[in-house]
Amino acid sequence: MEFFEVVNRRRSVRRFKRVKIPEDDVKKIMEAGRLAPTDATLHLWSAVWIRDDVKKSEIAKLIGQPHVEEGSDFFIFLADLYRLRELLKYRGREIVANKLALFVFAAVDAALAAENMALAATALGYGSCFIGAVQNAVYDLVSLLKLPDLTYPLFGLVIGVPDEDPPRRPRLPADMLFHREEYRTYREDELKAAYEIMGRVTRSGDWLRILERYAARDGYFDKRSDLMISVMKRLGFM
């Protein structure tokens, strides 16, 4: 499949046939993730590969995402400074005291690897979906996956044989996402147009329903931020 065809065909699939992908194909998908860029060759990410149906079912219930159970394989991507600390310790060095910048780049590394895997899955004829709801049960996942300190579960990626062909979701126009030479502020007519374009993702037709649920005061990300700080302190990031 030609590259831009793969990019255009990738969708977030939330219904899967309950069949297993051949492990050889899963390993090809994983290899695509391994070959993704990594900042300064630090390899600041890891992923826990979950193929066992019982464990997938448990995680699906914990995070409230049934398609995790339906899919063939589930990956939980981690910010992983534990391995980096161990590598430094092996040669008599200490990891940085302030780990914020490393955490940010770990999230970038993980996202790059995961997107490579999602595109590889598409190229092989499979479906995938990113799962941010991993954040709904971080403490439980730390325990269930036996995560050491300096690792943090960021998001998941479920891969499987699709049982739906969802339409492409709208995206903001390119000139709202790409700023040429310098950042420009938005006109009111552009903001209005953005709501009109993105309104198609909601039943109500009003994109504000999603924005306020997740990103407005007291929304999901307000609460998730508090939880993240709590977990990061526990796991040694702060």
Side-chain angles (χ1 to χ4, degrees):
M1 196 181 301
E2 194 264 344
F3 174 74
F4 285 103
E5 183 184 355
V6 172
V7 172
N8 284 319
R9 286 187 59 179
R10 192 211 62 79
R11 302 284 191 275
S12 292
V13 174
R14 293 178 175 84
R15 292 179 59 189
F16 294 92
K17 297 177 180 178
R18 291 179 180 266
V19 296
K20 288 294 185 189
I21 294 174
E23 280 206 29
D24 284 349
D25 282 353
V26 180
K27 289 178 179 177
K28 288 178 184 176
I29 293 167
M30 291 163 65
E31 179 66 4
R34 191 182 72 87
L35 294 176
T38 175
D39 188 66
T41 72
L42 295 178
H43 297 82
L44 299 172
W45 68 279
S46 289
V48 179
W49 174 22
I50 300 157
R51 192 168 172 88
D52 177 75
D53 289 331
V54 174
K55 186 169 280 190
K56 281 198 291 100
S57 177
E58 185 176 357
I59 293 172
K61 291 180 175 66
L62 280 173
I63 66 177
Q65 301 289 315
H67 42 297
V68 166
E69 180 179 1
E70 295 172 359
S72 170
D73 297 85
F74 187 51
F75 294 86
I76 294 182
F77 284 82
L78 313 173
D80 187 352
L81 306 188
Y82 170 81
R83 180 177 55 240
L84 178 61
R85 184 189 67 186
E86 295 303 295
L87 286 165
L88 287 166
K89 185 192 299 184
Y90 176 70
R91 297 292 298 273
R93 302 293 190 275
E94 291 186 11
I95 196 168
V96 297
N98 187 336
K99 302 173 184 64
L100 177 60
L102 281 176
F103 184 83
V104 170
F105 279 94
V108 173
D109 268 15
L112 291 170
E115 177 65 4
N116 262 22
M117 290 174 63
L119 292 175
T122 301
L124 291 171
Y126 301 120
S128 66
C129 187
F130 287 94
I131 308 293
V134 160
Q135 296 296 317
N136 292 343
V138 174
Y139 277 118
D140 294 300
L141 291 173
V142 168
S143 176
L144 180 65
L145 305 177
K146 299 181 179 178
L147 300 183
D149 61 336
L150 294 184
T151 60
Y152 184 91
L154 295 165
F155 58 87
L157 179 67
V158 58
I159 296 171
V161 178
D163 199 22
E164 65 172 354
D165 185 16
R168 181 191 301 174
R169 287 193 168 194
R171 293 290 186 264
L172 289 173
D175 60 4
M176 288 195 78
L177 298 172
F178 295 93
H179 300 257
R180 185 164 182 171
E181 311 300 345
E182 60 185 28
Y183 198 101
R184 65 177 187 82
T185 56
Y186 301 109
R187 302 186 308 270
E188 286 195 7
D189 63 302
E190 291 177 302
L191 299 174
K192 180 182 178 182
Y195 273 102
E196 292 172 353
I197 292 167
M198 297 304 301
R200 298 198 300 274
V201 304
T202 70
R203 293 177 183 175
S204 68
D206 188 354
W207 192 36
L208 180 61
R209 298 286 182 89
I210 291 179
L211 297 186
E212 65 183 357
R213 184 192 312 158
Y214 286 96
R217 187 69 58 87
D218 297 324
Y220 284 170
F221 281 98
D222 233 350
K223 298 167 186 174
R224 283 182 177 179
S225 293
D226 292 338
L227 176 62
M228 283 184 71
I229 291 171
S230 173
V231 177
M232 288 174 71
K233 286 180 178 177
R234 173 181 163 181
L235 295 174
F237 286 92
M238 303 177 72

